[in-house]
Amino acid sequence: YPSWGPKRAREEASKLRDKVSSGTDIIAEREAKKQEEIKAQASKKARKDLTLGALLLAYVRQLEAQGKYDSRAVENSLRRNVEKAHKVKWNTPAADLAMPDFRDIIATLVKAEKFREAQKVRAYLRAAYAAAIKAHSDAAAVPELRKFNIQYNPARDVATVTKPKGNGKQAQRQPLTLAELRAYWRRISALPAPEGPILRLHLLTGGQRLRQLCRLRIEDVDDTQMVLRDPKGRRAEERDHVVPLIKEAQEALEAIDAQPWLVSFVGGDTPADPWHVSKRVKAVASAMLKAEETKKIFTGKIIRSTVETRLTQAGISPHALAHLLSHGLGGLQEVHYQFYDFGPEKEHALKTLLELLEEKPADVVPIRKEQG
């Protein structure tokens, strides 16, 4: 210890002599201290690897292990809104983050007026930490979650995200007029594969939820229908949602030319992301806005509400629409007593939709009043 000097050396030697005199094994003590330092360094290194990003991806693996179809959408959202937007937090040990860190993540989305996405990301963050805490006692948890030794959920205290009233978005939530819907149909009918056929399939099957449509695999389709998996509501298992395929929808599927994932931008190797499909809907809407064919930008969700609105106006019954669009079917009667699948009614609704899309204004021939 060259920096000590004689005085400091004598003081330290005196301390060691006193320890030896009292019966302390200074060699064993020094070795124990060395092992503690090694253990602390290893723990520090491991803690450095147990980042927020690692926790969130472990949570995604847990969703996959549970057979959750939306696991890929969850991962894409987390990578887009946390990894890319908050890289420092993504690489910070999960146990070192506090509520303000997660508040800031959500605040970025709120500032961009992405309120629904903010609600989802908040839910994912809370669920990831909750899964890590539960993993200590959950035998079915993926092993990666137990490594984090999370004892407290800091994301739990982030306030619920609410959309401000009167934020100027009300008009964008309104369904399209029939003229706007027809203009949209003309534009997507002219788009090349695969995006054109994907958007046509979405519309011609009634505006099904994009998250469910993008899970469609080759075994889910035959010559007359497709079967979507609907996890909505308080269901232990996903419900099979059968949607008839009219001829034009079958042609759209064939034009996509993808498998095993039928709704895909890359030939079926991976399914299309719902966010990317909706982004293409918005691109068409932007072109329509520029051409003065619409007064607003709309998304895939608006296509769904538009289909229901226009078919209601065309006389399709609310019950048939509920079965076509798979909503409001979790009641006691539907679950235990109603087993009719409304196949003919759903097919009639889709054919009516096609007629609405392709109907042209009738030529008006004035009838001259006969002169008496």
Side-chain angles (χ1 to χ4, degrees), residues 52-53 56 77-78 80-92 97-112 114 117-122 124-125 129 155 158 161:
L52 172 64
L56 297 179
S77 176
L78 291 171
R80 183 170 62 248
N81 297 303
V82 184
E83 182 181 21
K84 293 182 179 179
H86 297 273
K87 188 172 290 291
V88 173
K89 289 182 176 62
W90 179 272
N91 293 317
T92 299
L97 294 169
M99 185 277 292
D101 296 300
F102 300 103
R103 177 203 60 205
D104 293 346
I105 292 173
I106 304 306
T108 300
L109 292 167
V110 171
K111 185 177 180 181
K114 298 179 179 180
E117 191 71 9
Q119 292 168 350
K120 290 180 181 180
V121 172
R122 174 181 176 271
Y124 299 154
L125 293 170
Y129 274 85
V158 178
V161 178

Side-chain angles (χ1 to χ4, degrees), residues 162-236:
T162 56
K163 183 182 293 188
K165 294 182 179 180
N167 66 335
K169 298 280 185 169
Q170 184 65 33
Q172 294 187 16
R173 295 198 297 269
Q174 294 297 321
L176 304 182
T177 65
L178 189 54
E180 289 174 323
L181 184 61
R182 287 172 177 165
Y184 174 73
W185 169 247
R186 288 193 297 272
R187 285 186 174 272
I188 65 175
S189 295
L191 288 177
E195 62 178 346
I198 288 176
L199 297 186
R200 294 198 293 275
L201 177 69
H202 174 237
L203 179 55
L204 291 170
T205 53
Q208 300 299 322
R209 294 183 180 94
L210 288 175
R211 183 170 294 184
Q212 295 174 21
L213 189 67
C214 289
R215 299 175 190 155
L216 196 66
R217 294 178 65 91
I218 189 169
E219 60 266 25
D220 300 326
V221 174
D222 61 26
D223 292 338
T224 61
Q225 65 184 28
M226 66 181 186
V227 181
L228 304 179
R229 314 299 176 198
D230 186 1
K232 298 285 288 185
R234 298 181 180 274
R235 300 188 179 105

Side-chain angles (χ1 to χ4, degrees), residues 12-284:
E12 295 297 326
S14 178
K15 291 177 183 178
L16 292 174
R17 185 167 53 248
D18 291 343
K19 284 187 176 182
V20 172
S21 298
S22 65
T24 301
D25 187 341
I26 61 174
I27 302 299
E29 184 183 66
R30 186 173 296 172
E31 183 62 27
K33 185 178 180 180
K34 182 179 179 180
Q35 291 302 319
E36 287 178 4
E37 291 175 352
I38 293 174
K39 186 177 180 180
Q41 290 176 357
S43 177
K44 184 177 180 180
K45 183 179 182 302
R47 186 182 180 87
K48 187 177 179 181
D49 294 336
L50 298 177
T51 62
L52 172 64
L55 171 61
L56 297 179
L57 294 180
Y59 167 62
V60 172
R61 301 293 89 77
Q62 174 86 336
L63 295 178
E64 291 175 346
Q66 294 171 345
K68 300 293 185 180
Y69 282 96
D70 60 352
S71 60
R72 185 171 178 270
V74 172
E75 179 175 354
N76 288 339
S77 176
L78 291 171
R79 288 191 179 278
R80 183 170 62 248
N81 297 303
V82 184
E83 182 181 21
K84 293 182 179 179
H86 297 273
K87 188 172 290 291
V88 173
K89 289 182 176 62
W90 179 272
N91 293 317
T92 299
D96 291 349
L97 294 169
M99 185 277 292
D101 296 300
F102 300 103
R103 177 203 60 205
D104 293 346
I105 292 173
I106 304 306
T108 300
L109 292 167
V110 171
K111 185 177 180 181
E113 297 188 3
K114 298 179 179 180
F115 300 106
R116 181 58 186 142
E117 191 71 9
Q119 292 168 350
K120 290 180 181 180
V121 172
R122 174 181 176 271
Y124 299 154
L125 293 170
R126 286 163 55 95
Y129 274 85
I133 294 172
K134 185 181 178 182
H136 300 307
S137 58
D138 185 3
V142 293
E144 302 98 289
L145 283 172
R146 299 193 187 99
K147 298 177 182 178
F148 291 87
N149 196 30
I150 298 294
Q151 304 296 329
Y152 167 69
N153 189 342
R156 181 190 60 190
D157 298 325
V158 178
T160 303
V161 178
T162 56
K163 183 182 293 188
K165 294 182 179 180
N167 66 335
K169 298 280 185 169
Q170 184 65 33
Q172 294 187 16
R173 295 198 297 269
Q174 294 297 321
L176 304 182
T177 65
L178 189 54
E180 289 174 323
L181 184 61
R182 287 172 177 165
Y184 174 73
W185 169 247
R186 288 193 297 272
R187 285 186 174 272
I188 65 175
S189 295
L191 288 177
E195 62 178 346
I198 288 176
L199 297 186
R200 294 198 293 275
L201 177 69
H202 174 237
L203 179 55
L204 291 170
T205 53
Q208 300 299 322
R209 294 183 180 94
L210 288 175
R211 183 170 294 184
Q212 295 174 21
L213 189 67
C214 289
R215 299 175 190 155
L216 196 66
R217 294 178 65 91
I218 189 169
E219 60 266 25
D220 300 326
V221 174
D222 61 26
D223 292 338
T224 61
Q225 65 184 28
M226 66 181 186
V227 181
L228 304 179
R229 314 299 176 198
D230 186 1
K232 298 285 288 185
R234 298 181 180 274
R235 300 188 179 105
E237 296 182 0
E238 294 167 321
R239 186 180 71 87
D240 285 353
H241 172 41
V242 180
V243 181
L245 290 174
I246 61 175
K247 179 174 69 70
E248 290 75 9
Q250 293 172 345
E251 292 171 351
L253 260 178
E254 292 172 0
I256 298 172
D257 191 23
Q259 58 176 291
W261 298 100
L262 298 183
V263 181
S264 172
F265 293 112
V266 290
D269 292 336
T270 57
D273 186 287
W275 183 79
H276 286 118
V277 177
S278 195
K279 187 176 180 181
R280 283 164 169 81
V281 174
K282 290 178 70 174
V284 175

